[in-house]
Amino acid sequence: MYKEKETFENICDKVEQELEKYGLLSKINETFKKNDLEICYSLNLSGMDIIGILDIRIQYLNDEKVFVFCLSKEDVPIYINNCESLKSIISIFFGSPFSLTIKKIEGLEFARYSVSVTECQVKDAATFNLYLKLLKECVTNLNSLVIYD
């Protein structure tokens, strides 16, 4: 397991260097359980407020001997109050590899929704980098087209 942990740390170091090009990177959690390794990050894309906060998780699954790269926007969802913004979000993500979770906020006297990008998992760094660029493009479009709060 020592060799796998060393390889995992080397991959995470390379991924961290790449992620830091996108904005402020914070390591949230690092766990080692049952021979599996996992590091969770929060990435705040440069030039954006909380809409630019993405969730990233890197895992090494020892039983399967694979690395898994996970990308989402769930910890800090997008909140919207109008139908046009909801339509814009759906159109921005339409055709992308990402899935959206839309939840109506109950108990309010007006329409309010929470929109999250659910976790997308890939098993190679090249696809992860491509998906990160795509998610950044989607979030950048959200930042300019959607009225959110």
Side-chain angles (χ1 to χ4, degrees), residues 78-82 85-86 88 142 144-149:
I78 303 155
Y79 293 97
I80 56 166
N81 295 336
N82 64 65
S85 291
L86 186 57
S88 292
L142 284 177
S144 63
L145 296 177
V146 174
I147 300 168
Y148 62 92
D149 59 349

Side-chain angles (χ1 to χ4, degrees), residues 20 23-24 38 50 52 67 72 75 77 81 89 93-94 99 119-120 138 141-142:
E20 287 173 344
L24 180 63
E38 177 179 278
I50 63 171
F67 288 91
S72 67
D75 287 346
N81 295 336
I89 290 173
F93 281 92
F94 186 80
S99 296
E119 187 172 83
C120 183
C138 289
N141 288 336
L142 284 177

Side-chain angles (χ1 to χ4, degrees), residues 55-85:
D55 312 312
I56 297 167
R57 190 164 50 92
I58 303 171
Q59 294 179 298
Y60 175 74
L61 305 177
N62 192 43
D63 290 345
E64 299 174 37
K65 305 287 188 227
V66 296
F67 288 91
V68 179
F69 302 88
C70 309
L71 184 59
S72 67
K73 181 166 179 42
E74 295 176 293
D75 287 346
V76 182
I78 303 155
Y79 293 97
I80 56 166
N81 295 336
N82 64 65
C83 185
E84 289 306 312
S85 291

Side-chain angles (χ1 to χ4, degrees), residues 22-37:
Y22 287 91
L24 180 63
L25 182 67
S26 303
K27 188 181 292 185
I28 303 298
N29 192 16
E30 189 170 350
T31 56
F32 306 102
K33 55 187 174 189
K34 294 184 180 179
N35 295 326
D36 292 342
L37 309 170

Side-chain angles (χ1 to χ4, degrees), residues 32-46:
F32 306 102
K33 55 187 174 189
K34 294 184 180 179
N35 295 326
D36 292 342
L37 309 170
E38 177 179 278
I39 296 182
C40 300
Y41 301 94
S42 176
L43 175 63
N44 192 351
L45 298 171
S46 295

